[in-house]
Amino acid sequence: MKRQNYILSILLILFISPLIFVSCNKNLDINQDPNNPTDVPENLILSALLSNFSYEVNGGYPTRVSVLWTKHLAGGIAGNHEGNYLITGGDVNNFWTSFSYSDVMNNAYVLKNKATTNGNPNYSAIAKIVLAWNLSMTTDVFGDIPYSEAFKGTEGIYKPKYDSQEDVYKSIQALLDEAISEAASTTNVLKPAADDLLYQGDMTKWAALAHTLKARFYLRLSNAPGLTASAQAKLALDELAKGSITMATQPKFKYFATTGAENPWFQYAIDGKWAVTTRPSQYYVNKLLASNDPRIAFQATKVVAATNVDPANVGKYIGLTNEAPGNNILNYSAIAPFYSAKDAPLYWMVYPEVEFIKAEAEFLVANKTVNATVTAAYEKAVRASMDFYGIAATDANTYLANNALSSNANTAYGQIMNEKYIANFLMFEAYNDFRRTGLPALPINNEMYPGQTELDQPPRINQIPVRFPYPSGERLYNSDNVPADIPTDPVKAIVIPVWWDSK
């Protein structure tokens, strides 16, 4: 997977900047390796940074595992795997070491420092947004993580201390505040342009994204110790009032129908680079079918006729469970092309989430009561989710008529979060929302495989995991700093909530 992303980064840099490598210095220093430059300009760092963050993190391991745990997808393979909660310290090493810290956060840190030194605050702004976002995803699955000492190898710090998750979130918000200020700066020696593979140098869009992330993160801490849900919700609403992404500006990363540059979901679940057995779950498909939800056509495919496909399945949506299927995998729905075509964009965040943040926040500000403002926000959020797919307004009206917001507070909260869960299909955020609120109520993935008994399987947990185990590499090389309250045994570790998960 890392090789594919490396190819993608290089292809994109060459595509955007075809003249970068044309000229050479006539007085070539034969002692300098041209394939291992010691100083890379901001524009080249930025393109690779965005590419790596998209492929390795937003479309990478944390998202692929979390959507199994939230039952958006299932892994139809025999034996134990992430889908039925088998995850080890070795499994998470690549995400922690190679992708999250090295490819993304370290390079974001380098970019922000270089941009500051060179007088390019717009580049620093983008670097800080990416750094803050990646920090959030890392701390959300691990809890306490290194940050304040994480990128100080040049200062001789090779075993960085772990910062508390509470402090990491304070740093995340500070980074985003700084980014918003720097995005507004016009005093740049060099400004992002085509090398900005997300917004092509439009800093107003980056600032709006930063405000949106701040709102998301305020709401993330709605049940954190020492904080109140209504106060966090008010902060989220205030932040969105300053600016947010729109349907036209929601962050989506472009991919191409060429080898090595395809959409991550295509590579992961469709063409077989890893497997073709990761598909919409039976729970999720049946859930949408039960409510006649028109979004299913954009999230899953109908089974098509093929060799070894039961004719009775053709033309139907059929979901998968986390076990070896009883018949050919083609008897089950795949992820729809909207998300998984070769050249489908990868959505880092979808606009409907903004409206669902508002709906939940209004509900919390009203002390978990339903009023006209909450109802209107809920309906607007559901319509935004329908609009996201281009679903006709008449179909949206019918759906809302059948799923009107209840006047009962508990039922209404479940409806808001259930609709947000559907709107955030294949999004990492659905996992955070589930842990934060317990909504929607999801069944655990504890299917027993045909012919197996409990004695055939390793220890199982009777709940959806609420964190990743710490990497085995950290326990080997930075053991003194790994939090002592998180067991080495992953079965015991993954049931311990992170700091903000105290519902």
Side-chain angles (χ1 to χ4, degrees):
M1 180 171 67
K2 185 172 174 58
R3 177 178 177 272
Q4 294 293 340
N5 192 54
Y6 174 79
I7 293 172
L8 173 62
S9 300
I10 298 301
L11 284 175
L12 289 174
I13 292 170
L14 290 172
F15 175 77
I16 297 298
S17 304
L19 300 180
I20 289 174
F21 304 108
V22 170
S23 62
C24 298
N25 189 327
K26 293 181 179 179
N27 299 312
L28 182 65
D29 183 354
I30 61 173
N31 294 314
Q32 180 176 335
D33 180 359
N35 296 315
N36 188 26
T38 57
D39 187 34
V40 181
E42 287 97 320
N43 59 341
L44 293 186
I45 298 176
L46 179 60
S47 293
L49 173 65
L50 297 176
S51 173
N52 288 339
F53 178 58
S54 183
Y55 190 92
E56 295 178 343
V57 179
N58 249 324
Y61 191 78
T63 300
R64 297 201 314 266
V65 172
S66 70
V67 296
L68 294 172
W69 293 353
T70 59
K71 299 188 82 74
H72 278 154
L73 303 181
I77 56 176
N80 294 286
H81 52 87
E82 288 98 335
N84 49 48
Y85 313 147
L86 178 66
I87 184 171
T88 70
D91 294 331
V92 300
N93 272 330
N94 278 346
F95 166 57
W96 175 287
T97 304
S98 299
F99 304 148
S100 188
Y101 273 101
S102 296
D103 283 358
V104 179
M105 291 198 289
N106 183 66
N107 286 329
Y109 194 82
V110 168
L111 177 57
K112 78 176 181 66
N113 290 345
K114 179 183 287 290
T116 298
T117 299
N118 293 343
N120 297 314
N122 287 176
Y123 276 99
S124 176
I126 298 173
K128 288 178 179 179
I129 292 169
V130 174
L131 177 57
W133 199 337
N134 202 129
L135 271 173
S136 77
M137 295 181 73
T138 308
T139 189
D140 286 340
V141 293
F142 291 109
D144 297 353
I145 58 171
Y147 173 60
S148 59
E149 294 183 353
F151 311 107
K152 295 187 176 181
T154 57
E155 300 175 27
I157 300 176
Y158 303 113
K159 296 183 178 181
K161 70 176 184 179
Y162 279 56
D163 298 304
S164 71
Q165 187 172 59
E166 181 176 10
D167 285 342
V168 171
Y169 260 99
K170 290 176 181 177
S171 297
I172 287 169
Q173 291 286 11
L175 283 167
L176 292 172
D177 284 335
E178 293 167 10
I180 290 167
S181 177
E182 292 176 336
S185 175
T186 57
T187 59
N188 292 268
V189 176
L190 179 67
K191 288 182 66 64
D195 53 310
D196 172 4
L197 303 179
L198 195 68
Y199 288 136
Q200 294 72 54
D202 188 334
M203 299 309 298
T204 60
K205 294 178 181 178
W206 277 107
L209 177 57
H211 283 299
T212 308
L213 289 171
K214 283 179 65 66
R216 171 194 273 183
F217 298 147
Y218 281 134
L219 201 57
R220 172 89 84 261
L221 305 188
S222 59
N223 291 315
L227 302 176
T228 63
S230 59
Q232 292 302 114
K234 180 64 165 57
L235 288 171
L237 290 172
D238 290 346
E239 202 63 46
L240 291 178
K242 299 173 186 177
S244 71
I245 60 171
T246 66
M247 197 73 79
T249 64
Q250 55 195 337
K252 56 183 181 180
F253 197 85
K254 184 173 178 58
Y255 288 92
F256 304 92
T258 54
T259 301
E262 309 103 326
N263 169 282
W265 285 114
F266 173 82
Q267 293 195 38
Y268 178 61
I270 303 299
D271 81 332
K273 283 186 175 62
W274 290 273
V276 294
T277 51
T278 303
R279 294 174 176 244
S281 78
Q282 183 182 89
Y283 165 84
Y284 188 74
V285 168
N286 289 349
K287 179 185 189 69
L288 269 59
L289 289 175
S291 61
N292 294 313
D293 195 320
R295 288 170 289 190
I296 193 171
F298 300 88
Q299 297 182 350
T301 63
K302 291 181 179 179
V303 175
V304 298
T307 303
N308 296 324
V309 170
D310 186 342
N313 294 339
V314 174
K316 297 179 181 178
Y317 295 107
I318 299 180
L320 196 62
T321 57
N322 288 284
E323 59 187 335
N327 49 23
N328 188 287
I329 194 66
L330 297 179
N331 281 278
Y332 303 89
S333 298
I335 302 171
F338 184 92
Y339 291 94
S340 69
K342 287 183 180 181
D343 58 352
L346 181 77
Y347 287 88
W348 291 3
M349 185 182 203
V350 295
Y351 168 68
E353 184 185 338
V354 171
E355 299 301 337
F356 279 107
I357 289 173
K358 292 178 181 178
E360 184 189 0
E362 293 287 4
F363 177 77
L364 296 177
V365 166
N367 293 314
K368 296 187 177 180
T369 60
V370 179
N371 56 32
T373 300
V374 174
T375 299
Y378 165 79
E379 292 179 356
K380 185 177 181 181
V382 173
R383 290 185 191 281
S385 181
M386 300 290 177
D387 290 344
F388 175 69
Y389 299 110
I391 293 170
T394 53
D395 292 334
N397 292 339
T398 299
Y399 183 84
L400 273 170
N402 294 328
N403 295 275
L405 190 65
S406 173
S407 59
N408 178 278
N410 289 335
T411 302
Y413 199 12
Q415 288 178 281
I416 292 169
M417 299 310 298
N418 179 70
E419 290 298 329
K420 186 180 181 185
Y421 164 74
I422 297 170
N424 270 336
F425 180 65
L426 299 188
M427 297 289 159
F428 177 72
E429 191 61 13
Y431 178 52
N432 295 322
D433 282 340
F434 169 74
R435 290 183 292 165
R436 177 173 63 85
T437 67
L439 299 169
L442 299 172
I444 62 173
N445 298 343
N446 64 343
E447 297 91 347
M448 189 63 63
Y449 309 120
Q452 290 188 315
T453 68
E454 288 287 355
L455 296 177
D456 297 319
Q457 303 181 52
R460 306 179 72 90
I461 63 171
N462 200 33
Q463 68 172 81
I464 296 171
V466 290
R467 72 157 69 229
F468 285 2
Y470 279 114
S472 58
E474 278 292 284
R475 294 198 177 277
L476 183 62
Y477 298 111
N478 195 19
S479 58
D480 289 344
N481 288 314
V482 176
D485 60 330
I486 305 301
T488 302
D489 182 351
V491 174
K492 296 178 180 178
I494 62 178
V495 298
I496 299 176
V498 297
W499 166 75
W500 53 251
D501 178 12
S502 60
K503 59 183 179 297

